[in-house]
Amino acid sequence: VEGEDPGDFQAGAVADLNTAISDAEAVAAGTLLFETYNKTMKDLDDAYEAFNAKLILPEDGIYYIMSQSGADQEERADNSPFASYVYAQSTSTHRDVNAGLRWGYQNESDIQYHADAIWILKRGEGNTVTLKNVYTGLYMGNDQENLSGFVFNSAEPANIGLRFARYEGTFNLVLSDKYFANTQPSKTDRRLVT
């Protein structure tokens, strides 16, 4: 979606990407030499990188991190807190299951009173941000060792990538090249995991 709001892409981003895709399809319709294939793939990678660079990120400020993946279209449009918020369950930086970040406060009407669910966002380079919890003073960590690993607090700022999610105005949290934070909390395990 193109627009001017966080989570939208800047005007022209989709057309530029579609042009690169069409160019690659035209090249692929002919006989491909190895060099031509490599150049075409590099051009596509560059176009995709340029497209992602046109994602409009939120400004520095105070935010709640809320799951939007289980909402229907009306709930997403209203930004109603139908789901869960990410909160810091402790002030520990130990890699312990009781020290990680969790989803919680589902359908909470007084979420503004839960400082552990409030995050200070500071923009970094590219599509990265740091997220510092207001209550703990600690950062969301990004040092994932494996899939389904827990997301822990970090004493040091950690770059968290933002990527366009499926719905307008929403982002995926990119913890590393391979790992994303889950966007829809499990009903049985409320931990924020990769």
Side-chain angles (χ1 to χ4, degrees):
V1 175
E2 292 185 349
E4 299 177 2
D5 296 322
D8 293 340
F9 286 92
Q10 298 169 16
V14 173
D16 291 347
L17 182 60
N18 285 336
T19 298
I21 292 169
S22 295
D23 291 349
E25 288 172 340
V27 171
T31 303
L32 281 178
L33 299 173
F34 188 69
E35 294 81 18
T36 306
Y37 170 82
N38 283 341
K39 181 185 180 322
T40 302
M41 291 307 295
K42 182 177 181 336
D43 291 347
L44 270 177
D45 286 344
D46 291 348
Y48 185 67
E49 189 173 312
F51 174 74
N52 283 325
K54 294 178 182 176
L55 179 64
I56 300 171
L57 300 181
E59 295 298 323
D60 290 357
I62 296 177
Y63 294 89
Y64 299 100
I65 303 171
M66 183 174 70
S67 173
Q68 287 282 334
S69 60
D72 64 24
Q73 187 64 41
E74 186 176 314
E75 288 171 320
R76 283 194 303 274
D78 293 341
N79 285 324
S80 60
F82 72 94
S84 296
Y85 295 85
V86 173
Y87 72 96
Q89 70 177 18
S90 79
T91 58
S92 173
T93 57
H94 289 44
R95 299 185 63 83
D96 176 286
V97 295
N98 295 317
L101 305 177
R102 290 191 179 268
W103 290 108
Y105 306 125
Q106 187 169 7
N107 298 315
E108 189 72 28
S109 61
D110 62 347
I111 190 66
Q112 70 272 16
Y113 300 114
H114 294 283
D116 56 350
I118 301 172
W119 298 86
I120 300 170
L121 179 144
K122 296 248 187 228
R123 290 175 65 169
E125 291 186 28
N127 286 4
T128 66
V129 297
T130 59
L131 294 164
K132 184 176 184 179
N133 188 266
V134 170
Y135 174 71
T136 65
L138 299 172
Y139 295 88
M140 179 182 289
N142 67 356
D143 57 339
Q144 300 309 299
E145 296 173 355
N146 55 35
L147 190 60
S148 295
F150 303 115
V151 179
F152 295 104
N153 297 318
S154 171
E156 299 298 320
N159 288 325
I160 306 294
L162 296 181
R163 181 181 88 161
F164 176 74
R166 186 185 285 182
Y167 307 115
E168 182 178 353
T170 63
F171 299 94
N172 284 326
L173 300 177
V174 182
L175 302 174
S176 71
D177 290 339
K178 300 189 295 186
Y179 300 114
F180 298 83
N182 63 344
T183 55
Q184 185 167 352
S186 160
K187 294 194 185 319
T188 57
D189 186 352
R190 309 300 290 180
R191 293 172 288 196
L192 184 66
V193 298
T194 58

